[in-house]
Amino acid sequence: MTNSKKIRDFLAERRPTPYVVVDLDIVADNYRKLKDAVPQAGIYYAVKANPAPEILDTLAKLGSSFDTASVNEIDMALRSGVAADRISFGNTIKKQSDIAAAYARGVRLFAFDSEAELEKLSQAAPGAKVFCRILTSGEGADWPLSRKFGCDPAMARELLIAAASKGVVPHGVSFHVGSQMKDPNAWDAAVAQAAWLFRECEDAGVQLNMLNMGGGFPTKYRKDIPTMGSYGAAIHAALARHFGNRVPEIIVEPGRQMVGNAGTIDTEVVLVSRKSKTDTKRWVFLDIGKFGGLAETMDEAIQYPIVSAKKGSKVERVILAGPTCDSADVLYEKADYRLPIDLVAGDRLEIRATGAYTTTYSAVAFNGFEPLKCYCI
């Protein structure tokens, strides 16, 4: 993938590294593509992907709502000018005091996936709409979100029926198929489970009205991905197949798809070395690593395109690592990354498609390194 002219011009100014630059025009284009693909869905941007005020302002003006994971994120969303009724508190793990704080700010849409969380909501958010998250396998996702979040459908049924007698409104069901999901058909099984839940609750006298289909829409890294249109078609087919002509209100929670390909990290090579005279691979140490914002390189799960400005140079395989005094700060050792053989300390590299989940993963001061700066243009 190539950078936009705006990003290329920005990188040419040679600011101190590392930093990420995000093209807001690409963010806006990604929003429109998603809206075209799933026109029936309300878009709730996942603030955790990149909460830069300029991004939130851009999306708010386009009509986006916001999925938040904390009171701080709720406040960020409110500062963009959206009303509280366009904010979902989508984290299933919340302090009761944070539920109360969100409620005091006007938020009335909350996620849960357990009896204990439902009790907190009933006490701190009376009359609020609540939706229960169900488990998914995450199979086919580069960054699965299974096991920690959600409950099985049988438990969700019990919880949603119980919610009706606890002073909150059982509003719907949610799921997340896993981040960077490259199979457009992955939503089908979860939609089927959700439709079963809707019918079961209706039989018990509880009317559900909303299906939150989560995120999972990918951005392009080193390999091609399906078009947004193919995701939209698969989702539309799944809804028709399992809900028929009674499709409920639909919500989606994009994060990576919205901002991933809009950002590029500018990084400087700090050191190029070998571990022995016979070592066949060079170690290339950058001024950014796992603790500087590249946490998703864990297990080499997310593989960002990395580009050198040196043209025509012979390349060879390298091991890429960050600058900190932690042996876990190795980015890529198994993946096939190749960089110019004449690469030296002081050279710059571009780590592309890094608009999502980089600034928010950046440590505050591990080893004294400053958090990753973000420029929006």
Side-chain angles (χ1 to χ4, degrees), residues 70-134:
S70 66
V71 175
N72 283 341
E73 286 194 349
I74 290 169
D75 288 340
M76 293 173 191
L78 290 171
R79 284 195 290 271
S80 75
V82 300
D85 63 4
R86 285 169 59 187
I87 297 173
S88 166
F89 202 160
N91 192 342
T92 59
I93 307 160
K94 305 176 288 297
K95 292 181 179 179
Q96 186 164 319
S97 58
D98 288 343
I99 295 171
Y103 188 81
R105 286 160 169 76
V107 176
R108 294 294 184 271
L109 185 60
F110 296 84
F112 75 105
D113 63 3
S114 66
E115 183 178 0
E117 192 72 8
L118 177 59
E119 289 296 331
K120 286 187 282 184
L121 289 166
S122 70
Q123 294 175 37
K129 295 177 179 178
V130 299
F131 57 93
C132 189
R133 180 166 173 170
I134 57 175

Side-chain angles (χ1 to χ4, degrees), residues 19-295:
Y19 65 84
V20 60
V21 53
V22 175
D23 186 337
L24 295 172
D25 291 338
I26 296 177
V27 175
D29 186 56
N30 289 340
Y31 179 90
R32 296 185 188 101
K33 286 178 179 176
L34 180 59
K35 194 65 180 174
D36 288 344
V38 282
Q40 71 273 47
I43 295 176
Y44 280 66
Y45 170 65
V47 175
K48 58 185 169 285
N50 190 324
E54 299 91 339
I55 292 174
L56 302 189
D57 291 348
T58 296
L59 292 173
K61 290 173 183 174
L62 287 168
S64 181
S65 299
F66 294 100
D67 165 57
T68 61
S70 66
V71 175
N72 283 341
E73 286 194 349
I74 290 169
D75 288 340
M76 293 173 191
L78 290 171
R79 284 195 290 271
S80 75
V82 300
D85 63 4
R86 285 169 59 187
I87 297 173
S88 166
F89 202 160
N91 192 342
T92 59
I93 307 160
K94 305 176 288 297
K95 292 181 179 179
Q96 186 164 319
S97 58
D98 288 343
I99 295 171
Y103 188 81
R105 286 160 169 76
V107 176
R108 294 294 184 271
L109 185 60
F110 296 84
F112 75 105
D113 63 3
S114 66
E115 183 178 0
E117 192 72 8
L118 177 59
E119 289 296 331
K120 286 187 282 184
L121 289 166
S122 70
Q123 294 175 37
K129 295 177 179 178
V130 299
F131 57 93
C132 189
R133 180 166 173 170
I134 57 175
L135 287 163
T136 61
S137 70
E139 185 178 350
D142 286 352
W143 196 261
L145 296 169
S146 54
R147 296 187 64 239
K148 182 178 179 181
F149 307 104
C151 60
D152 70 33
M155 178 176 282
R157 175 187 179 277
E158 295 176 4
L159 291 171
L160 287 163
I161 293 170
S165 62
K166 291 185 177 295
V168 292
V169 179
H171 188 50
V173 177
S174 74
F175 61 82
H176 198 301
V177 296
S179 194
Q180 191 66 8
M181 173 56 73
K182 290 180 286 191
D183 179 7
N185 296 311
W187 278 257
D188 185 74
V191 171
Q193 289 184 325
W196 175 84
L197 267 171
F198 270 66
R199 292 191 295 271
E200 287 289 308
C201 287
E202 184 176 32
D203 289 346
V206 174
Q207 183 69 46
L208 301 180
N209 297 297
M210 185 271 290
L211 176 60
N212 182 340
M213 304 182 74
F217 306 106
T219 198
K220 182 181 177 181
Y221 292 116
R222 300 176 79 192
K223 296 180 180 179
D224 288 337
I225 57 172
T227 64
M228 279 309 307
S230 63
Y231 284 91
I235 287 170
H236 178 77
L239 290 170
R241 184 179 305 117
H242 301 296
F243 281 94
N245 60 359
R246 299 184 64 189
V247 175
E249 174 191 351
I250 303 297
I251 284 176
V252 292
E253 298 173 339
R256 193 183 305 277
Q257 175 272 341
M258 196 67 72
V259 293
N261 69 336
T264 292
I265 287 175
D266 189 11
T267 180
E268 182 179 323
V269 176
V270 178
L271 176 69
V272 181
S273 66
R274 299 183 191 269
K275 299 301 182 184
S276 71
K277 292 288 187 182
T278 58
D279 196 353
T280 59
K281 291 183 184 176
R282 291 168 301 153
W283 284 70
V284 176
F285 296 91
L286 309 176
D287 63 1
I288 186 172
K290 276 188 168 68
F291 305 99
L294 300 179

